[in-house]
Amino acid sequence: AQSVTQPDIHITVSEGASLELRCNYSYGATPYLFWYVQSPGQGLQLLLKYFSGDTLVQGIKGFEAEFKRSQSSFNLRKPSVHWSDAAEYFCAVGPLHSGGYQKVTFGTGTKLQVIP
Amino acid sequence: DTAVSQTPKYLVTQMGNDKSIKCEQNLGHDTMYWYKQDSKKFLKIMFSYNNKELIINETVPNRFSPKSPDKAHLNLHINSLELGDSAVYFCASWSAAGESGELFFGEGSRLTVL
């Protein structure tokens, strides 16, 4: 069974500082990996995804993530955080089924607080 | 145009009642999902339909019954509501593009059971 661990429940960073959110997954085969962001009272928006190819993935809003198979990790990074980045961040993993659909399992989320 | 829309956005009801949440997507996707997000923000998959056929049915009480009249709609009916059903329910659809794809989420329906 697939699973995702986000070890940090809550992270606080200063505006302009760099950010790294950790994600570890458990899946028997090559995983499909995602990062989603949820602003208060909103649905989830995709930041980036990894399916194959280059292990460094660029996403929206200046985010990037690196897939490291040896560490079963898919950490999210941003070089300079903006106050508008304050939100809940979810890492997710999903296998692609033969019908072309995904069963996507989410981590417990990391709440990011940005201070001036 | 809203891609995945859910109604109602807020629902407050008494224990024991029956309620429904509706979901529609105008993206042309074949696969739709219901997720439940609890008070700790944990997102758990409940059901998935692919072109009106149930393909994922997690360990969910049978008081929850999904219905997909066509591939653009996936509704969730809940019987005999309990306090523990209070949560935000998210509908999502899956876009498949070759081996890639992503989930598109609605804005959620916050259910409060009193």
Side-chain angles (χ1 to χ4, degrees):
Chain A
Q2 67 219 55
S3 66
V4 178
T5 301
Q6 293 180 250
D8 303 306
I9 296 172
H10 190 274
I11 282 185
T12 300
V13 299
S14 299
E15 190 168 14
S18 64
L19 171 70
E20 182 168 27
L21 301 183
R22 295 184 291 164
C23 172
N24 292 96
Y25 67 88
S26 173
Y27 182 59
T30 301
Y32 298 107
L33 295 159
F34 310 82
W35 275 99
Y36 280 83
V37 61
Q38 183 181 25
S39 298
Q42 300 294 313
L44 283 83
Q45 180 186 21
L46 181 72
L47 284 175
L48 47 79
K49 60 188 177 186
Y50 170 80
F51 277 70
S52 64
D54 194 345
T55 56
L56 185 61
V57 180
Q58 301 299 320
I60 63 171
K61 305 185 181 186
F63 285 93
E64 67 176 27
E66 187 170 11
F67 170 57
K68 292 185 177 180
R69 185 188 299 275
S70 61
Q71 298 176 21
S72 297
S73 69
F74 189 56
N75 294 348
L76 182 71
R77 300 193 293 251
K78 187 170 184 178
S80 177
V81 169
H82 188 261
W83 64 266
S84 60
D85 293 324
E88 192 91 25
Y89 290 80
F90 293 92
C91 182
V93 64
L96 182 64
H97 292 262
S98 58
Y101 63 90
Q102 287 269 349
K103 180 181 174 182
V104 180
T105 299
F106 285 81
T108 49
T110 297
K111 185 170 184 176
L112 174 65
Q113 182 180 7
V114 181
I115 55 177
Chain B
D1 256 359
T2 304
V4 181
S5 58
Q6 301 178 223
T7 54
K9 193 166 183 179
Y10 299 96
L11 192 51
V12 181
T13 188
Q14 299 286 332
M15 276 176 55
N17 284 350
D18 304 337
K19 290 294 177 186
S20 292
I21 306 172
K22 296 186 176 181
C23 179
E24 176 182 5
Q25 53 97 359
N26 62 6
L27 299 167
H29 298 162
D30 287 338
T31 308
M32 296 182 71
Y33 302 78
W34 278 111
Y35 279 84
K36 178 181 179 181
Q37 186 174 48
D38 62 23
S39 58
K40 295 184 179 178
K41 300 289 188 179
F42 181 57
L43 268 165
K44 184 171 166 49
I45 190 169
M46 300 173 69
F47 302 104
S48 179
Y49 272 73
N50 180 261
N51 206 5
K52 301 193 295 177
E53 181 183 346
L54 181 66
I55 55 173
I56 296 175
N57 185 351
E58 293 294 288
T59 308
V60 177
N62 57 16
R63 298 182 295 104
F64 290 78
S65 51
K67 279 194 171 54
S68 182
D70 55 61
K71 74 174 191 178
H73 295 85
L74 179 61
N75 304 324
L76 183 66
H77 187 75
I78 315 171
N79 289 327
S80 304
L81 278 157
E82 301 178 356
L83 293 176
D85 298 332
S86 294
V88 182
Y89 292 86
F90 284 99
C91 177
S93 67
W94 173 260
S95 84
E99 275 208 359
S100 182
E102 65 183 85
L103 282 172
F104 286 82
F105 282 87
E107 292 195 341
S109 297
R110 181 176 292 277
L111 171 65
T112 303
V113 182
L114 304 174

